[in-house]
Amino acid sequence: MKQLTIKKKITLWYTGIIAVVLGTILVLVLLFLDKVGISATEEEISAAVTGFSSNINFQDDSFYLDGDTEFYDNGIMFCIYDKNGRLLYGTIPARFPEETILMSNTPRTISESNRKWMIYDSVYTYGDDDEMWVRGITSVHSIELFIQTSKKMLLIVFPLLIILIGVIGYFMIKRALRQVDLICDEVENISNGKDLSKRLSLPKAKDELYELSKKFNEMFERLEFSFEKERQFTSDVSHELRTPVAVIISQCEYLLENENLSAEDKEEIAVILRQAKRMSKLTSEMLMIARNEQDEQHLMEKLDFGLLSELVIEELQTKAQEKNIEITLQKQDDLFMNGDQTLILRMMMNLITNAINYGKTNGHIHVILKVENDQIVGEVKDDGIGISEEHLDRIWERFYRIDKSRSRENGGTGLGLSMVCWIVNLHNGSIHVESIEGIGTSFIFRFPKI
């Protein structure tokens, strides 16, 4: 499962908290609407009945109403009953249950035929223990409709509000953390470009991100100093070793020409010569890499990649024949590119030599060159021992050797593929490896074609 970004995590956290808070408020509001709606109606009808009763005048054993008394006021209908529940004045609403009993000073809700009414009864005594009742009747259908509509609107508005809060919050957080994205992009550019002299741009506000950027710049400064010291050391050591190694090689070759030496002595000298040549190759490759890392300028010119590959294969035929390995070249025409001839030759030399060293006796090496989408696509394919999957990602590292004993036997230095990688990058190309252990390996590279 893909990990969420910090922006999305923060958005989900605070949106969840707000959703819980607003959800609680929503529940309370819905309960409040029910209570307040009914309570307000109860207060309204009881007050209306009390007000209507003020129009009744009692005298001895009878009562009479003021002349301007109205039995309907603001949605409330008023009725007057005697003590036996017989309607004396007023009109009851249609479909209202006439047999509803009288109950003093108690607001009630009556339902009938999908209609609801709220009633309030008030009793008055006069004369010799005689009674008359005043009833107020109002429909609560409109109130319930309003409450239900309000609930539906709240239930619809609630998720939309949460989504809106989440979207607005995400963009606010994204804006707040924009400097983090800039830091990540700049660090990636410095890392991919391998130019440690670059620095992160510092934000205007001296906040936590300012301090983070400042610490990164201090770290890059220390790394740059360390790498420069390492590069200078590598260059100096490689340069200083060339002369003594060359002297050792020349002296060994001179001694091997001396006929007075015994076979045993010549064998020991030959061992020294082989190791000296291996050391010479190692210092040469280290010096080449050191010069490249110091941004030494390279002569870029128009090259015929197919012709250069033919020259490399011809030079390595003798080495391949020692293991009875056949090298074949399959190429198209018009394989021209801009590049440094020495480096391109070195790259092909390293790839094919690597295929010979790790190829099987009586094996095959196929070099395939073609054009695809304005690119030169090359492949060096062998049927050798292959590379296990655990080593594939590390073969480009300097001095990394899968089988150290076999590498020493073949004269490998552990720098060949590392050198291939930076030569390809120097020419704006790309390279990757495909391999199955015990079956073979393919190195596939691409260069811009001209």
Side-chain angles (χ1 to χ4, degrees), residues 153-172:
M153 289 183 63
L154 288 173
L155 292 174
I156 293 173
V157 169
F158 176 74
L160 295 178
L161 182 62
I162 295 301
I163 293 173
L164 180 63
I165 290 173
V167 171
I168 294 175
Y170 176 77
F171 284 104
M172 290 177 64

Side-chain angles (χ1 to χ4, degrees), residues 303-314 327-336 348 352 365-372 375-380 445 449:
L303 304 177
D304 185 341
F305 198 93
L307 178 60
L308 294 181
S309 299
E310 288 180 358
L311 295 175
V312 173
I313 292 173
E314 182 179 349
I327 304 178
T328 60
L329 174 63
Q330 177 184 342
K331 69 181 182 70
Q332 295 180 355
D333 296 329
D334 192 26
L335 298 172
F336 291 98
M348 291 301 295
I352 297 175
I365 297 174
H366 303 285
V367 180
I368 304 169
L369 304 174
K370 56 186 178 180
V371 176
E372 286 184 3
Q375 285 188 321
I376 296 175
V377 181
E379 180 178 5
V380 177
F445 52 86
K449 176 183 174 298

